Amino acid sequence: MQKNLFHLSFDYWEVFLLFIIPALTDISIFIYAFFFLPQNKRNKAFSAFVLLLGIAQALDGIMRLSNTAETAMEWSRISAAPWVFITSFGLLFALRYTKWDRKFSNNLILTFLFLPSILLEFGIIGGLYEVSVEKSELWHWIANPKSTTATNMIYMWNTVTSLVTFVLFWLYYFKVRKDENRRDFSLLIAAGNTIPFVTGITSEVVFPLVLGIEDFPISTPAITIFSVSILIAIVKYKAFDYSPKHQWKNILETMNEGVLIVNNQDQIMYANKAFCEQTGYEFGELKGVIARNLLTDEIESKKKVEQVIKEREDKKSSQYEILIKTKRGQKIWTLISGSPYLDIHGNVIGSIGIHTNISELKLANNELKLFIYKASHDLRGPLASILGLTDLIHHENDKEKIKNYSAMIDYSAKKLDTVLINLAKNMQIKEIDRFDDEINFGELINETLKRFVGYEGFQYISITKEIMLEELFFSNKLIMESVFQNIIENAIKYRDLSFANPWLKISISKIENRIQIVFLDNGIGIEPSFQNRVFEMYFRGTETSKGSGLGLYLVKTAIDKLGGTIEVESKKNNGTKFLISLPVVKSKVI
């Protein structure tokens, strides 16, 4: 029986023309669609459709090239196998192309389309599909299906799936016919599907099964018209080109900025993932709620939103800042870039806003304003002193007084220098992005202490260190130096002068996966009411403080940059403890 499959004749040019050439055309379209088009679900369905169609056309052509009726019969049965899947993939492509697949779950669609196909395929393999083969002068062989239950079911399935596909394409065309971008290629695809559909129903169903007329084998090659129409839509009209429109939902959901769409009554219609994360709400809690009532309780913000709603009615876009209240009650500053949301006819049906959290920027701006204000005071004070003392020297002849004035100028200049150094360090710390310096804490502490030789009070304080690390620690050396220098300087500066033996103990250890650094001194301590403010810019914890008020602010900035934490424990006249915890960026066993 297998040997008979190769009893073929290649003398029938009309068979090549009608079957083999369409088969090669469809397989070529498959190669283009599969390898050169974006591989989304729609294009994969189309690729499977044209591949199976090309195979079926080739098998049908081989059947007609057979030398014997027995060989033709076998090839006829084989060529029937792809058809139950061809129409299923054709319908799957139509569902995805027209977006009807969004109305149903993917599992439901695949089950409905391919479970019947698989069952019918088993019927064909089991020999339930029956045809009769007759000699034809024009086509060499004609295969006519026998009217059996299995055969009728196969033809009915192909008819139903083809009919649904036909309807979907035309419904989609009438839906988009006013859209200039989609109208032409949608008509082309719908018309390209209509020709093989009509010829197929006529020649494959009406003629053989209803009227009993011999099969006229035009329907199989005619389907290539449908394939070619889609190819033209792809090449000429760029119908399947990648466009952000195809992925708009994914784009919105992966944006860092929040997106909020409201209707003309300010009711929330859509919020993306980022907006929900910003506000702490689930979308189900937001949908249908009046946005300004839920998201802000600031009178100025409410007035601003009401003003914007009126602007949207005139199709005006705008950018504005408001305070938004999160689900937990936290207030965040938000920059909103808003535009009118239009329907297909250009009518305003709402507003779409892109929400950017600018709280940190606002904080930075406020911090910068405070910084400039305080710095100008701290810089102008020493400068004024220097200028005043210089003027006195110019009019003074007493050498002793001039010497005192010079000492005072020196003090003011050093104070000015300290402020400038701290400002520069603050800028440096904020810009650092490398944390791969190997930190040897013993060397770091020793180098820091050397800088305090000659510093007032350094000779009176005992500083000890205890380092309990078995691993290397990697961080940024400049930042670590700034932290140690400022905290050690504070311990020296605010030592308790009533104690005969002021001391500072520094201990470093690893607890779990973090480095813990403890600075413990027996200095004058900090008032409990001041402890939550000691890290603020320009805050001075004592009335007698002569510092710039930047030291602990720089420490906090540095620790934040390293992703760590710092805590302070203190009592007035009973010493201070700073506890620093840093993540281990990188380590290896010594």
Side-chain angles (χ1 to χ4, degrees), residues 404-457:
N404 290 334
Y405 292 154
S406 297
M408 294 168 70
I409 289 173
D410 180 67
Y411 173 80
S412 294
K414 286 179 178 178
K415 187 174 181 180
L416 181 61
D417 184 55
T418 300
V419 173
L420 291 172
I421 289 172
N422 284 332
L423 296 183
K425 281 185 178 179
N426 184 52
M427 297 295 291
Q428 277 184 296
I429 289 171
K430 288 182 180 294
E431 294 177 1
I432 285 172
D433 59 2
R434 291 191 59 184
F435 308 93
D436 55 0
D437 296 328
E438 181 181 330
I439 305 299
N440 184 314
F441 285 104
E443 292 180 1
L444 176 65
I445 294 171
N446 291 337
E447 289 173 4
T448 304
L449 294 180
K450 287 178 183 178
R451 299 191 189 103
F452 288 103
V453 174
Y455 190 90
E456 183 184 352

Side-chain angles (χ1 to χ4, degrees), residues 250-259 272-275 354:
N250 289 337
I251 292 171
L252 288 177
E253 289 303 312
T254 55
M255 285 177 64
N256 291 325
E257 289 79 13
V259 177
N272 72 344
K273 181 180 178 182
F275 184 87
I354 298 175

Side-chain angles (χ1 to χ4, degrees), residues 14 104 119 149 160 197 272 319 333 428 536 566 590:
E14 64 274 11
F104 311 97
L119 294 175
T149 301
V160 169
F197 173 74
N272 72 344
Q319 190 175 76
W333 276 102
Q428 277 184 296
E536 293 179 11
I566 181 169
I590 296 176

Side-chain angles (χ1 to χ4, degrees), residues 215-234:
D215 178 18
F216 189 71
I218 192 67
S219 61
T220 299
I223 302 178
T224 301
I225 296 173
F226 175 50
S227 304
V228 172
S229 71
I230 295 176
L231 181 63
I232 294 172
I234 293 171

Side-chain angles (χ1 to χ4, degrees), residues 57-126:
Q57 290 170 331
L59 294 174
D60 203 10
I62 292 172
M63 183 273 288
R64 299 176 197 282
L65 295 175
S66 300
N67 277 333
T68 66
E70 183 183 43
T71 304
M73 179 71 75
E74 289 303 313
W75 281 112
S76 178
R77 288 172 179 167
I78 294 171
S79 66
W83 278 106
V84 292
F85 287 104
I86 290 173
T87 56
S88 296
F89 275 109
L91 178 52
L92 181 62
F93 165 70
L95 287 167
R96 289 174 174 170
Y97 166 74
T98 61
K99 300 181 177 61
W100 272 77
D101 61 325
R102 297 178 181 177
K103 300 179 183 294
F104 311 97
S105 71
N106 193 53
N107 289 337
L108 180 63
I109 291 172
L110 296 179
T111 301
F112 172 77
L113 287 180
F114 293 103
L115 182 59
S117 300
I118 292 170
L119 294 175
L120 292 173
E121 192 67 47
F122 279 122
I124 293 172
I125 295 172

